[in-house]
Amino acid sequence: MTSHQNTQTMKPATAAKKLGVYLEAAPADFREGVVSRAELNELQANPPQWLQELRRNGPHPRPVVAAKLGVSIAGLARAGVTEPLTTEQIEALKKEDPEWLERERATQAEVRKEAERIKKKNAERQA
């Protein structure tokens, strides 16, 4: 009996998510094809110019925007930020520091604090 290994492939949307880039801003050949696990690993290890540029300047997908602003994805939605933002737009928002951003950052800090409290409580219970 011989073992036969299939090449694992993924949709471009999945690969873009794993790479942390906005799919619609990627080149057409990336958006329209399939990406193998080996190709994804190569893109992560040696990102081509287009990938470096997207990571540096955007537009960025919501999870990246939320992380850069220090808020949750739900916080972005509550504030009405539904479109991908560029690095320049994110930096402008940080400088502007609107009331919603301060509020969402405070909410996110509370969530982290509560998660840490629960983690500590569970650790004590385990001990």
Side-chain angles (χ1 to χ4, degrees):
M1 185 187 270
T2 60
S3 65
H4 176 245
Q5 188 173 8
N6 291 336
T7 303
Q8 184 182 8
T9 60
M10 61 192 82
K11 295 177 183 176
T14 304
K17 187 175 184 179
K18 289 179 182 288
L19 292 169
V21 296
Y22 182 57
L23 178 62
E24 300 306 315
D29 59 332
F30 179 82
R31 289 192 319 260
E32 294 164 2
V34 293
V35 180
S36 71
R37 173 62 64 183
E39 290 170 331
L40 177 67
N41 291 341
E42 180 62 25
L43 286 170
Q44 289 171 326
N46 302 308
Q49 186 63 37
W50 66 266
L51 183 54
Q52 291 175 23
E53 192 66 28
L54 273 180
R55 286 178 169 167
R56 185 173 29 256
N57 300 319
H60 302 288
R62 282 181 303 177
V64 175
V65 173
K68 286 179 180 267
L69 290 174
V71 299
S72 66
I73 295 172
L76 287 178
R78 282 190 292 271
V81 179
T82 57
E83 297 298 314
L85 300 177
T86 63
T87 301
E88 190 177 298
Q89 291 170 314
I90 293 169
E91 292 305 317
L93 262 177
K94 285 180 178 178
K95 284 181 183 170
E96 187 180 305
D97 200 23
E99 186 268 328
W100 70 263
L101 184 55
E102 288 181 30
R103 186 177 61 246
E104 291 300 335
R105 282 180 172 163
T107 301
Q108 190 69 4
E110 285 297 317
V111 168
R112 283 192 207 105
K113 192 168 144 184
E114 180 65 9
E116 186 60 35
R117 185 191 69 77
I118 291 169
K119 183 178 175 184
K120 187 176 180 182
K121 185 178 177 182
N122 288 340
E124 288 171 0
R125 206 180 290 157
Q126 295 278 327

